[in-house]
Amino acid sequence: MGSRRVDELAFQLVAKTGKVVLFASAHPSPSLGVDHNLIHKNEVSVLGVEGKNVDDFRIAVKLLSERLIDVRPLIDRLVPLTDLRTAFELAIRPDTYRVVVTP
C-alpha cells in the first residue's frame, strides 16, 4: 500500500535527473502534492510500475530471511496476533505505512 509520507520523502530525496518509482498502490489514493517545477527543473522521472513474479518473491524472501536488508524503517507498528482486529484497523488507515503482526 502506498503512503503519501513516503511519496513526499521520495521527491525530497531524489537527485537531479533521478527517478521516483511508485510501486505500491494506495487506497484511498492520496494526492501527491508534488511541485511541478521540481520535476521539470531537476529533470526528475516519475515511473509507475506494477509487476512481480515468482523470482521477485524468492529474492525478497532470501533478502529478508538472511537479514541482508533492514526493513525496520518501513514498519509503523508491530501488533501481536492476539490483537489482530487492531492490526487490520491500523492497516486500512491512510496514515499508516506498514503494520506487522507478530506471533
Side-chain angles (χ1 to χ4, degrees):
M1 176 185 215
S3 165
R4 183 177 177 133
R5 284 186 311 179
V6 174
D7 293 344
E8 289 171 350
L9 185 59
F11 282 99
Q12 290 172 14
L13 296 175
V14 67
K16 187 170 181 144
T17 71
K19 279 186 190 171
V20 173
V21 179
L22 303 175
F23 184 76
S25 61
H27 306 280
S29 181
S31 169
L32 282 178
V34 177
D35 179 1
H36 178 273
N37 291 326
L38 175 138
I39 295 169
H40 170 71
K41 291 179 182 174
N42 291 328
E43 301 176 38
V44 171
S45 297
V46 181
L47 178 65
V49 297
E50 168 40 63
K52 55 216 166 274
N53 58 40
V54 173
D55 288 333
D56 295 333
F57 180 76
R58 287 184 183 129
I59 291 167
V61 168
K62 179 178 176 63
L63 291 170
L64 291 169
S65 65
E66 295 182 9
R67 300 187 191 277
L68 297 173
I69 58 172
D70 181 11
V71 295
R72 288 176 296 183
L74 303 176
I75 299 170
D76 272 339
R77 297 281 297 271
L78 296 173
V79 179
L81 182 59
T82 55
D83 200 7
L84 193 56
R85 181 181 192 94
T86 298
F88 279 107
E89 289 169 354
L90 288 167
I92 63 171
R93 289 178 29 184
D95 63 332
T96 304
Y97 186 58
R98 292 285 188 266
V99 175
V100 173
V101 177
T102 59

